[in-house]
Amino acid sequence: MINIKTILFSLFLAFVSCKKSNENIANTTKPNPVAKPNYKDFLAKIQQKNKEEKSQYFFKYINSEIPDYWQKTPWTFGGTSREPKKGSIACGYFVTNILSDYGFDIKRAYLAQQASSVMIKQLCTDIKYFSKREDLENYILNKEKNQVYIVGLDFHTGFVTRENKDTYFIHSNYINNQGVVKENTTTSKALNASKSFMIGNLKY
């Protein structure tokens, strides 16, 4: 004869076990997000690094941190913002402000207002010229990984980085005043619209 109490107790144990299992899954699949520091505190932490640490961190700063903080900050021709998502930022000022924030001792405003060739010649090494975007990309892919470059276009400038086999253009995009973006070089409208490319390797 079936014992009803035994059946009910077994069902209760199964329910409790299932609930605890679901709670464990929820706890492991939904970790609490860690809030990133505000931009001012983020820069202050960078300045606590020594020169060697800053040299090693520079690629991550340009390739990951800056696009994360500055994305969607709009472009205007006269934009000079020093803080992400406040005001607007022109392409030249985006490059020089970011470098100045990191600790580069440069004439930030002067270089931002010059042709990108002036900035590249002053700050970069191993400078190359190309007339095709594909040649530019092949050149970068044949260099070491995790490098930062400044690229000068016909009327525009920004950073180029290589992450594994992908190359990215990080810039304040003038098209539709889009502002700061990180986009693949193969699909970047601003990059592909240029007829000339000047690129130099940038190290801290």
Side-chain angles (χ1 to χ4, degrees), residues 5-6 20 29-30 48 53 69 84 96 108 128 135 143 173 178-179 182-183:
K5 289 184 178 180
T6 300
K20 287 184 177 180
T29 57
K30 295 182 180 180
Q48 294 173 4
E53 290 171 336
Y69 274 99
T96 62
R108 179 183 58 83
K128 304 293 182 183
D135 293 339
K143 303 291 282 184
N173 193 1
Q178 183 179 7
K182 175 183 178 180
E183 52 188 359

Side-chain angles (χ1 to χ4, degrees), residues 84-102:
K85 298 179 176 64
K86 290 189 177 181
S88 59
I89 188 76
C91 61
Y93 273 99
F94 174 67
V95 172
T96 62
N97 286 0
I98 293 309
L99 296 182
S100 178
D101 286 346
Y102 199 74

Side-chain angles (χ1 to χ4, degrees), residues 45-81:
K45 287 184 178 180
I46 290 177
Q47 300 314 315
Q48 294 173 4
K49 299 178 183 293
N50 60 40
K51 184 173 178 61
E52 183 179 350
E53 290 171 336
K54 290 179 77 172
S55 178
Q56 293 175 352
Y57 183 71
F58 184 55
F59 175 78
K60 182 177 180 181
Y61 171 75
I62 297 294
N63 188 61
S64 302
E65 306 284 15
I66 288 305
D68 187 32
Y69 274 99
W70 281 85
Q71 63 180 327
K72 299 183 180 179
T73 305
W75 174 93
T76 61
F77 182 76
T80 62
S81 178

Side-chain angles (χ1 to χ4, degrees), residues 22-36:
N22 288 337
E23 288 176 351
N24 289 335
I25 293 173
N27 289 334
T28 56
T29 57
K30 295 182 180 180
N32 293 327
V34 178
K36 66 180 180 181

Side-chain angles (χ1 to χ4, degrees), residues 1 10 17-18 49 54 60 62 76 97-98 103 108 120-121 130 134 141 144 148 154 179 181-182 184 194:
M1 182 176 180
S10 298
S17 177
C18 182
K49 299 178 183 293
K54 290 179 77 172
K60 182 177 180 181
I62 297 294
T76 61
N97 286 0
I98 293 309
R108 179 183 58 83
I120 293 172
K121 289 177 181 178
F130 300 98
E134 294 83 359
L141 289 175
E144 292 182 6
V148 176
D154 293 341
V181 293
K182 175 183 178 180
N184 197 291
S194 186

Side-chain angles (χ1 to χ4, degrees), residues 153-170:
L153 309 181
D154 293 341
F155 308 102
H156 193 49
T157 189
F159 299 105
V160 168
T161 60
R162 175 192 170 187
E163 186 176 354
N164 298 318
K165 293 185 178 181
D166 294 315
T167 56
Y168 296 98
F169 188 31
I170 301 165

